[in-house]
Amino acid sequence: MKHLFVLFLALVSLNCFSQTEELDNLAIQLAYESSESSKVAISIEIIKNLIALKDFDKALKHIKQSEKLSKKLNSDKKLAQLLYYKALILSLKDDYITSVNLLNKSKALSIKLNDSLFTAEINSKLGAIQIEHGDYKQGIINIKKGIIQLESKNDSPTLSEAYNTLASAYKNINQFENSQKFYLKNIEINKNLGNREAILQTHIDLAELYIEHKHYKEAVFNFENALTLLDTKNEEYKGRIQPQLGTAYINFKNLDLANRHLIEGLEINRRLKNTEGTIHSLNGLAELNRIKRRFKTAKKLALEAKTLGESINDKQKLLYSYRLLKDLDSLQGNFKQAYLWQSKYFTIKNRLDREKEKKEQLARTLDAITIENDDLKVSTLSKIKVSTVANTQANTPFKLAFYVLIIVFAIALLFLISISIKRNGLLKDIRRLETKNRDIELENKSILEQKEHLESINDIKDKLFSIVSHDLKDSLISTKEFIDLLKDGSISQDEFRSLLPELSDNANNASLLLFNLLNWSKSQMQTLVSNPSLFDIQEVFYEKIKLIDLKLQSKNIQLVDKTVKDVVYADRSMVEIIIQNLLANAVKFCKSGDIITLSNHISNGYALITVADSGIGITEENQRQLFSKNSISTIGTNNEKGTGLGLSICKDLVELNNGRIWVDSTINKGSSFYIELPKDKVKTPELV
């Protein structure tokens, strides 16, 4: 009857545990095993497999039955193992207190059996559980005990786990050197074991430690090593590595590599819906665009990162986003908003600094602790007990003195508490003053940046006036002289009419000069904003050809219009300024009989506009500085004057509309100016 009952249990086990072949085989062995000691051993193997499969309830049932048999057999070794596995399961079920108690009971049995290897394993697991629940002090002590024993027994797999847990614990309490030491030990031990996955994971953990402490060279080295070990299909690891590697390359000033890794990291993390990785990528790209002075794009990215950071309350990433937003608004003159970001930044920073201070205090406490083996500790405690019993009677006459000392100690303690309270009050006052000082520093920095910005604008103004004053003065004086001649009667009405074309040219030149000056100065002051829309580029050509018709006739220049209807996506008023400047330049540098040709067509999905002339051409030296702010005005074929600002304005306006402009010219053969503009709304290059 007894055998039938065991067989029934085995068949039930076989039905429940048919997930793996090994469990099936163990269940069959258990059904036909007659030795109770062997049954417990087989049950322990089944329990291990069930824990691996996370079938905790069935594992606990086996543990309960096996505990009864172990107590019946008086087998402390098997009971210690069962208590160990039960503790692991309860830890995974978040029953921390019971789990720790069971591990301590298991360790006591293991010490009694003098099983140092199993004691080491228990110490390591006990330390890991304690650290996981915030008890770093006792957790690190227990793991160190385990490591001492495991290193002496050369148990590599368990030692690897202990090294990794200890390195992570030291990382969390800001003990950089200890954390680095145990991560490096873990890499070495896993190289001997040939555990590629563990080496990969440790390289990433070590790289993140280096990033945290600003050792960017070492971080890049470890991240690159991790990528070489990585299966290309494993996007989860890539999503974790790429944003941090991109950030490290920013600190190396390698912006191209940083951009590549950050964009790839953003794409992967968005695809995986990994919020932390997405925030890291967005912050990195925002920092990159800030460095490249693409403030609008940088702020958009930083705001998105800030919103995601607030949704998961990630203080470290929020700190990064607030700092970026403060810098961006400060650089753009939004000092009020910058001050608000600064306040949020310091609110989080002060909180993190307090947490860091607690961790550093814990780290100092741990440094003062020496680790002893359990057997040595038990021996020491025994000696203390014997010594206490032997000296009890001898110490009786000194009881009165002892009580006096306690009273003195209590008075001293009250005095120290009073001092501590006063000290804490002073510290709070100091912190408030520090916060005010930081706010004042921010205001001073903002004022300095505003001063530098105003000085820059003033320099631009001085330069502009120095460039245009002469030409503008000549045009206005010439116009005034014509009017004075007519007023004084020095010339007849017929003579005045013959001079009207020249007077008109002077007025047009002054008008165009002021028009270019206004738009260029606005662009330099960062107030010119593109408002793109879809429109027909051919309509712009028709309007601008009418404005130069008289000039074409007076210089005997032929205009060939090859333009076709085509839609572009840009700010129409800006495109009109660009076309007007290019047509005016073409007329200016053509001689009698020359030809100006206008055309447009589609190229690589963009609208390509061409203004070509058969005029005097441009030297290679002048071509190199043609679009710069320092370009020099050149006299036209009929001694037309200019400021040299027109093409600089054109370049600024084209780039504001996500386009580009370039020239191809040969002396005495002519020049061709090309403009490439988008045909529809495009993404900014940083987000592609």
Side-chain angles (χ1 to χ4, degrees):
M1 187 69 183
K2 184 179 177 181
H3 286 293
L4 287 173
F5 179 73
V6 173
L7 181 60
F8 172 76
L9 286 176
L11 290 172
V12 171
S13 299
L14 184 61
N15 181 57
C16 295
F17 309 146
S18 59
Q19 299 170 35
T20 66
E21 186 179 345
E22 185 177 356
L23 273 174
D24 292 344
N25 292 333
L26 289 169
I28 292 168
Q29 288 179 44
L30 182 63
Y32 290 99
E33 183 58 59
S34 58
S35 167
E36 290 182 332
S37 178
S38 298
K39 283 178 184 178
V40 176
I42 295 168
S43 289
I44 288 171
E45 292 302 315
I46 291 174
I47 290 161
K48 288 181 186 177
N49 281 276
L50 288 170
I51 291 172
L53 293 171
K54 297 184 179 179
D55 196 346
F56 302 137
D57 292 336
K58 288 187 175 65
L60 286 170
K61 288 178 183 178
H62 273 276
I63 289 170
K64 187 177 180 181
Q65 294 297 324
S66 300
E67 275 183 313
K68 289 178 182 178
L69 277 176
S70 297
K71 288 175 182 176
K72 180 182 174 183
L73 295 168
N74 200 24
S75 175
D76 286 344
K77 183 175 181 179
K78 289 183 173 61
L79 188 58
Q81 288 177 297
L82 291 165
L83 289 170
Y84 174 78
Y85 290 119
K86 189 176 182 180
L88 294 190
I89 294 169
L90 293 176
S91 169
L92 294 168
K93 284 175 166 283
D94 289 329
D95 189 348
Y96 169 65
I97 294 172
T98 309
S99 174
V100 169
N101 287 336
L102 289 172
L103 283 171
N104 281 321
K105 287 179 181 179
S106 177
K107 183 166 71 169
L109 290 171
S110 180
I111 293 169
K112 179 182 172 183
L113 294 165
N114 200 26
D115 188 345
S116 58
L117 190 58
F118 189 45
T119 303
E121 188 174 344
I122 295 168
N123 273 325
S124 296
K125 187 58 67 178
L126 179 59
I129 292 170
Q130 287 169 327
I131 287 166
E132 187 180 346
H133 287 81
D135 189 356
Y136 285 93
K137 180 179 176 181
Q138 197 57 48
I140 289 176
I141 289 171
N142 281 315
I143 288 183
K144 280 191 171 182
K145 287 178 184 178
I147 286 174
I148 291 168
Q149 294 161 320
L150 290 167
E151 285 178 336
S152 66
K153 299 293 182 181
N154 197 26
D155 185 352
S156 297
T158 312
L159 190 56
S160 169
E161 185 182 348
Y163 281 155
N164 188 64
T165 304
L166 192 54
S168 299
Y170 277 128
K171 181 181 177 183
N172 287 334
I173 59 173
N174 294 321
Q175 279 208 340
F176 169 73
E177 291 181 359
N178 280 330
S179 181
Q180 177 192 33
K181 179 176 78 173
F182 285 104
Y183 275 137
L184 291 170
K185 281 189 171 188
N186 198 28
I187 289 173
E188 288 304 312
I189 203 168
N190 280 292
K191 282 180 181 177
N192 295 331
L193 291 169
N195 190 338
R196 185 185 179 95
E197 178 75 15
I199 296 169
L200 164 65
Q201 180 63 56
T202 310
H203 271 304
I204 296 172
D205 290 336
L206 185 56
E208 288 174 342
L209 176 71
Y210 284 131
I211 284 277
E212 188 178 330
H213 291 271
K214 297 181 173 53
H215 297 289
Y216 298 110
K217 183 178 179 181
E218 293 84 353
V220 167
F221 173 77
N222 279 279
F223 276 135
E224 294 289 4
N225 277 341
L227 286 175
T228 60
L229 294 166
L230 190 60
D231 181 355
T232 54
K233 295 179 181 178
N234 193 329
E235 287 202 326
E236 188 176 344
Y237 274 132
K238 287 186 76 176
R240 182 178 168 188
I241 292 170
Q242 297 288 23
Q244 299 186 87
L245 185 53
T247 303
Y249 274 122
I250 287 177
N251 288 278
F252 270 162
K253 308 301 181 188
N254 193 333
L255 302 187
D256 291 336
L257 270 177
N259 190 57
R260 192 187 80 194
H261 286 296
L262 287 167
I263 287 174
E264 188 174 350
L266 182 61
E267 290 172 349
I268 291 170
N269 283 299
R270 277 185 167 157
R271 188 160 55 248
L272 295 175
K273 296 182 180 179
N274 182 345
T275 304
E276 287 190 9
T278 302
I279 295 170
H280 207 134
S281 303
L282 289 167
N283 274 331
L285 283 168
E287 180 70 26
L288 187 64
N289 280 279
R290 185 192 68 79
I291 293 168
K292 292 182 176 181
R293 302 188 69 76
R294 296 169 180 167
F295 300 136
K296 186 176 178 181
T297 301
K299 187 167 183 181
K300 180 182 176 184
L301 293 163
L303 283 170
E304 185 181 352
K306 186 266 302 181
T307 302
L308 288 173
E310 288 172 341
S311 71
I312 62 172
N313 196 27
D314 190 323
K315 293 184 182 64
Q316 285 291 354
K317 291 183 175 60
L318 274 175
L319 200 67
Y320 196 103
S321 298
Y322 287 147
R323 193 265 302 165
L324 264 174
L325 288 165
K326 180 265 295 182
D327 288 347
L328 288 166
D329 277 321
S330 182
L331 286 169
Q332 292 181 291
N334 302 326
F335 302 118
K336 185 177 179 181
Q337 187 60 48
Y339 182 80
L340 292 175
W341 295 129
Q342 179 80 334
S343 298
K344 290 188 175 186
Y345 173 87
F346 277 114
T347 299
I348 293 179
K349 188 174 186 302
N350 289 337
R351 195 178 305 162
L352 291 175
D353 284 346
R354 286 195 295 272
E355 291 174 7
K356 184 180 178 182
E357 188 178 338
K358 288 179 183 177
K359 289 179 179 179
E360 287 174 349
Q361 186 177 355
L362 174 61
R364 288 192 293 271
T365 304
L366 288 169
D367 284 339
I369 295 172
T370 55
I371 306 301
E372 299 172 335
N373 288 328
D374 281 305
D375 53 350
L376 179 60
K377 188 174 181 182
V378 170
S379 174
T380 305
L381 286 171
S382 299
K383 289 176 183 178
I384 290 168
K385 286 177 183 178
V386 171
S387 176
T388 303
V389 172
N391 292 323
T392 299
Q393 294 179 347
N395 289 332
T396 303
F398 299 100
K399 281 184 179 179
L400 183 61
F402 176 71
Y403 291 137
V404 171
L405 283 172
I406 288 175
I407 293 167
V408 172
F409 176 76
I411 294 168
L413 185 61
L414 287 170
F415 178 70
L416 289 172
I417 289 170
S418 174
I419 292 173
S420 177
I421 291 169
K422 288 181 180 179
R423 178 179 174 274
N424 288 336
L426 287 170
L427 285 174
K428 286 180 182 178
D429 290 339
I430 290 168
R431 288 195 185 99
R432 279 196 293 270
L433 287 171
E434 286 175 348
T435 302
K436 286 182 181 179
N437 286 337
R438 282 194 292 264
D439 293 342
I440 292 167
E441 284 175 9
L442 175 63
E443 289 176 4
N444 289 339
K445 183 181 177 183
S446 299
I447 291 167
L448 183 61
E449 288 173 347
Q450 191 174 26
K451 174 178 172 288
E452 291 173 353
H453 182 65
L454 290 171
E455 286 176 351
S456 174
I457 292 172
N458 195 52
D459 289 342
I460 292 168
K461 180 263 297 179
D462 291 344
K463 181 180 174 183
L464 286 171
F465 278 110
S466 67
I467 292 171
V468 303
S469 60
H470 180 73
D471 290 342
L472 191 57
K473 181 183 71 176
D474 285 351
S475 295
L476 293 174
I477 288 173
S478 177
T479 302
K480 183 177 182 300
E481 285 175 352
F482 281 130
I483 294 170
D484 287 344
L485 286 172
L486 179 63
K487 180 181 176 182
D488 297 340
S490 301
I491 58 172
S492 66
Q493 291 284 347
D494 291 337
E495 288 174 323
F496 181 74
R497 287 193 188 92
S498 67
L499 295 172
L500 275 177
E502 187 175 349
L503 182 61
S504 176
D505 284 346
N506 283 338
N508 285 337
N509 184 57
S511 175
L512 182 60
L513 180 67
L514 288 170
F515 186 68
N516 285 340
L517 173 61
L518 176 63
N519 284 289
W520 188 80
S521 62
K522 283 176 70 180
S523 71
Q524 294 306 302
M525 295 176 192
Q526 299 178 354
T527 57
L528 198 60
V529 178
S530 173
N531 295 305
S533 62
L534 292 170
F535 63 90
D536 184 359
I537 189 65
Q538 193 179 43
E539 292 178 1
V540 176
F541 276 115
Y542 284 167
E543 291 171 6
K544 298 306 170 187
I545 288 170
K546 291 176 186 176
L547 296 177
I548 62 167
D549 190 48
L550 290 174
K551 196 73 174 177
L552 291 169
Q553 292 179 24
S554 67
K555 291 190 74 171
N556 189 28
I557 298 168
Q558 182 184 354
L559 189 140
V560 177
D561 185 3
K562 294 184 179 180
T563 60
V564 295
K565 285 184 175 295
D566 189 23
V567 173
V568 298
Y569 183 76
D571 187 311
R572 178 164 180 152
S573 62
M574 292 184 181
V575 174
E576 288 177 353
I577 294 168
I578 296 163
I579 300 300
Q580 182 175 332
N581 272 283
L582 293 180
L583 286 173
N585 275 353
V587 173
K588 179 179 176 181
F589 296 109
C590 279
K591 304 183 297 296
S592 177
D594 281 339
I595 299 170
I596 297 174
T597 306
L598 310 179
S599 62
N600 65 294
H601 65 277
I602 299 172
S603 174
N604 295 324
Y606 282 78
L608 184 64
I609 300 162
T610 308
V611 179
D613 65 70
S614 60
I616 60 176
I618 308 166
T619 64
E620 287 186 11
E621 182 181 352
N622 284 344
Q623 284 182 53
R624 283 193 289 270
Q625 57 179 344
L626 198 60
F627 297 105
S628 73
K629 309 293 188 289
N630 299 318
S631 59
I632 300 169
S633 175
T634 307
I635 301 299
T637 53
N638 276 4
N639 294 319
E640 298 101 327
K641 297 177 181 178
T643 63
L645 296 175
L647 290 174
S648 172
I649 297 167
C650 289
K651 181 176 183 295
D652 289 341
L653 297 181
V654 168
E655 290 178 352
L656 274 170
N657 286 279
N658 295 313
R660 62 190 184 106
I661 184 170
W662 69 97
V663 65
D664 182 15
S665 182
T666 305
I667 287 293
N668 297 324
K669 290 187 178 181
S671 305
S672 294
F673 285 84
Y674 301 95
I675 309 162
E676 193 177 71
L677 292 170
K679 288 181 60 58
D680 52 25
K681 189 173 182 179
V682 294
K683 294 180 180 179
T684 56
E686 300 77 44
L687 296 174
V688 174

